[in-house]
């Protein structure tokens, strides 16, 4: 083993993404990821429960961020504006991780099991956002609809952000998608 270097988690993430890209998710082992990062398997398991968690480990933090931003939106904010505030917070979280997000999305798109997990994650985020909106006094059906629409806006903007290199920052894409949604629902 080489001498200790900082950012073990980041090194494990990069090693995993590189191996997933080279061999496919199914064919990369935890031992190989740890070796590529210059770490031990034991260190890998300090950061991740399994190799899928390299791709999905931040879901809990993202959910907490979305919920806190929606709940913390001004009382005068409409439900969709509270969701927009939550999406802005998420955009800020991702902004410096575009390369990681791109690599991650390629791996997920290549694997049916991972695509299913991504859909489950998005559904969980929508449910958490709906709960946050209900805590703000929004009726259950309106909260669910608004949260689902917000997650759809996020997904569309995120897909553009990671797949098109000439795209502006994620927050701009989210706002453009929200504006498009508002225009469609207004009949324009």
């Amino acid at each position: 083993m080489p001498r200790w270097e900082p950012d073990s988690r980041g090194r494990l993430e990069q090693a995993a993404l590189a191996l997933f890209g080279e061999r496919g998710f199914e064919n990369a082992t935890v031992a190989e990821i740890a070796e590529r990062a210059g770490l031990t398997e034991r260190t890998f398991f300090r950061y991740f429960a399994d190799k899928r968690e390299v791709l999905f480990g931040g879901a809990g933090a993202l959910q907490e961020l979305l919920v806190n931003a929606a709940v913390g939106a001004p009382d005068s904010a409409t439900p969709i504006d509270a969701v927009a505030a939550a999406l802005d917070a998420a955009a800020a979280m991702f902004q410096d991780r575009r390369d990681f997000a791109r690599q991650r999305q390629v791996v997920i798109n290549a694997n049916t099991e991972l695509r299913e997990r991504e859909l489950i994650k998005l559904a969980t985020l929508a449910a958490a956002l709906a709960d946050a909106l209900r805590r703000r006094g929004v009726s259950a059906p309106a909260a669910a609809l608004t949260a689902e629409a917000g997650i759809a806006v996020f997904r569309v903007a995120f897909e553009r952000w990671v797949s098109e290199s000439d795209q502006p920052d994620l927050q701009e894409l989210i706002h453009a998608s929200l504006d498009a949604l508002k225009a469609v629902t207004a009949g324009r």
Side-chain angles (χ1 to χ4, degrees), residues 84-170:
L87 298 181
D88 282 346
M93 178 179 153
F94 284 106
Q95 196 57 47
D96 293 333
R97 293 184 52 93
R98 191 176 202 165
D99 288 337
F100 176 83
R102 281 185 174 146
Q103 294 170 352
R104 175 188 177 276
Q105 203 59 49
V106 167
V107 172
I108 289 171
N109 290 344
N111 183 289
T112 302
E113 175 189 321
L114 297 175
R115 285 193 311 269
E116 289 173 357
R117 175 108 180 240
E118 180 78 347
L119 291 172
I120 291 167
K121 180 190 84 174
L122 292 172
T124 301
L125 293 174
L129 263 179
D131 183 55
L133 292 173
R134 284 190 300 275
R135 291 181 4 213
R136 289 179 57 85
V138 178
S139 70
L145 183 59
T146 306
E148 290 288 345
I151 293 300
V153 162
F154 179 79
R155 191 184 78 238
V156 168
F158 189 84
E159 286 172 2
R160 287 183 62 200
W161 184 64
V162 297
S163 66
E164 301 172 20
S165 59
D166 62 338
Q167 288 301 317
D169 72 20
L170 181 55

Side-chain angles (χ1 to χ4, degrees), residues 31-50:
E32 293 167 331
I33 294 167
E35 182 179 340
R36 169 97 38 120
L39 300 164
T40 65
E41 282 184 71
R42 185 175 181 179
T43 301
F44 179 94
F45 289 115
R46 282 188 198 129
Y47 293 99
F48 306 105
D50 59 37

Side-chain angles (χ1 to χ4, degrees), residues 18-70:
L19 284 167
F20 296 161
E22 292 167 15
R23 300 184 188 160
F25 176 80
E26 303 86 357
N27 298 320
T29 68
V30 168
E32 293 167 331
I33 294 167
E35 182 179 340
R36 169 97 38 120
L39 300 164
T40 65
E41 282 184 71
R42 185 175 181 179
T43 301
F44 179 94
F45 289 115
R46 282 188 198 129
Y47 293 99
F48 306 105
D50 59 37
K51 66 183 184 178
R52 290 174 305 191
E53 289 306 305
V54 172
L55 303 170
F56 296 99
L62 177 59
Q63 179 175 320
E64 183 178 342
L65 180 74
L66 289 169
V67 167
N68 289 340

